[in-house]
Amino acid sequence: MSEITHNLAQVREKIAAAAERCGRASEEVTLLAVSKTKPASAVAEAVEAGQRAFGENYVQEGVEKIRHFQDVGQTGLQWHFIGPLQSNKSRLVAEHFDWCHTVDRLRIATRLSEQRPAHLPPLNVLIQVNISDEQSKSGITLSELDALAAEIAVLPGVRLRGLMAIPAPETAYDRQFAVAHQMAVAFRALKQQYPSVDTLSLGMTDDMDAAIAAGSTMVRIGTAIFGARDYAARPNVNS
C-alpha cells in the first residue's frame, strides 16, 4: 500500500468518525483532495485509491494536470478550482474546471458564465464568504450574500451550488464550531431560496471535525493526504 493510499484511508476514517459523532452519514461529506503543487503522479496514486475530486489553487498548474489525465484517457475525475481567481485567468477555469469555489464578485461570475464552452454543462460555482473578516483573504461579507447570489443565479453558464469559506485558524473547538455554524446558517437559508444549492465547502485538516458537526458537505484536505507541500518545486507559472 502506498503512503498516499494509506493517508487517504485514514482521512476517510476520520471523516466517517466525525460524521458519526454528530449523527450524520459519512456519505453526506465529500472529500476534496487538495493536490496543489503535487505532481500528476501523486494524483494518479490517489485516483488508484478511489479518489475522484481534486482541488487546485493555481490555474495553469491545474490545467496541466487536467490535460494530462485527459491525454491518458482517465475519465470520471472532478476538478475544483479553489484559489484566488484573477480576471485574466477566468477563461482557463471556465474551459477546463468543473467547479470554482472562489467567486466573490459579479464580474468574475459573469466572465465565467460567458466563457464557459457551450458543449460543457454550466460551471458549478460557490460564493466565497470571508467569515472571519480577514483583510488578507478574499470573499464577501454575509450581509452581501443575498444580493450576489441573486445576480449569479440567473447567469446561464454557471450553476450556483453553495458557499465556501476559509475561517481564520482557531485552536479551540468551540470557536471553530461557532464560526462554522455561522456559515451553516447562511448555507441553509441560501438552500431554501435556490434548488441548485447543495454544497458547503468548509473545513480543512485542523478544523474538519467542527465543520462537519456544523453541517459542512465538503472538506478540503491536502497535506494529510499528499504530505508537506514543496512550493519551490511548483512549475514556474502564474496563478
Side-chain angles (χ1 to χ4, degrees):
M1 179 185 294
S2 75
E3 184 176 355
I4 289 174
T5 300
H6 172 74
N7 292 347
L8 266 171
Q10 285 196 320
V11 169
R12 288 169 181 151
E13 287 176 7
K14 289 178 180 178
I15 291 173
E20 185 178 355
R21 281 194 293 272
C22 59
R24 299 179 65 193
S26 60
E27 294 77 19
E28 296 178 36
V29 184
T30 297
L31 170 59
L32 182 63
V34 179
S35 47
K36 66 177 182 180
T37 79
K38 296 300 178 180
S41 58
V43 176
E45 283 189 49
V47 171
E48 192 69 25
Q51 181 64 25
R52 291 296 179 268
F54 295 92
E56 291 285 333
N57 283 57
Y58 307 106
V59 177
Q60 191 62 50
E61 180 186 333
V63 169
E64 289 172 4
K65 291 176 192 173
I66 293 168
R67 286 173 172 161
H68 166 79
F69 286 99
Q70 288 173 340
D71 290 344
V72 299
Q74 176 68 58
T75 60
L77 302 186
Q78 198 178 80
W79 294 94
H80 297 239
F81 183 72
I82 60 175
L85 181 56
Q86 303 166 5
S87 294
N88 65 339
K89 298 285 181 148
S90 62
R91 181 176 297 278
L92 286 171
V93 172
E95 290 179 346
H96 295 280
F97 284 82
D98 303 297
W99 289 69
C100 181
H101 287 222
T102 51
V103 174
D104 62 357
R105 55 198 186 277
L106 179 60
R107 181 186 175 195
I108 282 290
T110 301
R111 287 177 67 92
L112 290 171
S113 176
E114 291 173 347
Q115 294 167 343
R116 185 67 168 173
H119 69 277
L120 294 178
L123 180 70
N124 298 298
V125 300
L126 302 178
I127 294 174
Q128 183 174 358
V129 176
N130 189 348
I131 193 62
S132 301
D133 195 25
E134 295 179 275
Q135 291 187 350
S136 62
K137 284 183 183 168
S138 303
I140 63 168
T141 64
L142 286 176
S143 63
E144 299 171 298
L145 176 57
D146 286 346
L148 183 57
E151 292 171 324
I152 292 175
V154 297
L155 297 175
V158 298
R159 186 170 183 236
L160 179 61
R161 294 293 295 270
L163 304 177
M164 184 275 261
I166 309 171
E170 298 280 356
T171 55
Y173 177 89
D174 289 350
R175 180 57 187 160
Q176 291 176 352
F177 181 83
V179 174
H181 180 68
Q182 291 182 61
M183 285 298 302
V185 170
F187 169 62
R188 288 194 292 268
L190 196 68
K191 195 174 180 179
Q192 290 181 342
Q193 297 179 64
Y194 302 100
S196 61
V197 168
D198 58 6
T199 301
L200 176 57
S201 174
L202 181 69
M204 296 181 282
T205 301
D206 293 335
D207 61 354
M208 179 179 72
D209 286 12
I212 291 173
S216 173
T217 70
M218 182 179 289
V219 293
R220 308 180 303 270
I221 310 295
T223 303
I225 296 172
F226 295 106
R229 298 187 181 100
D230 182 4
Y231 287 94
R234 190 172 73 88
N236 187 24
V237 293
N238 296 324
S239 60

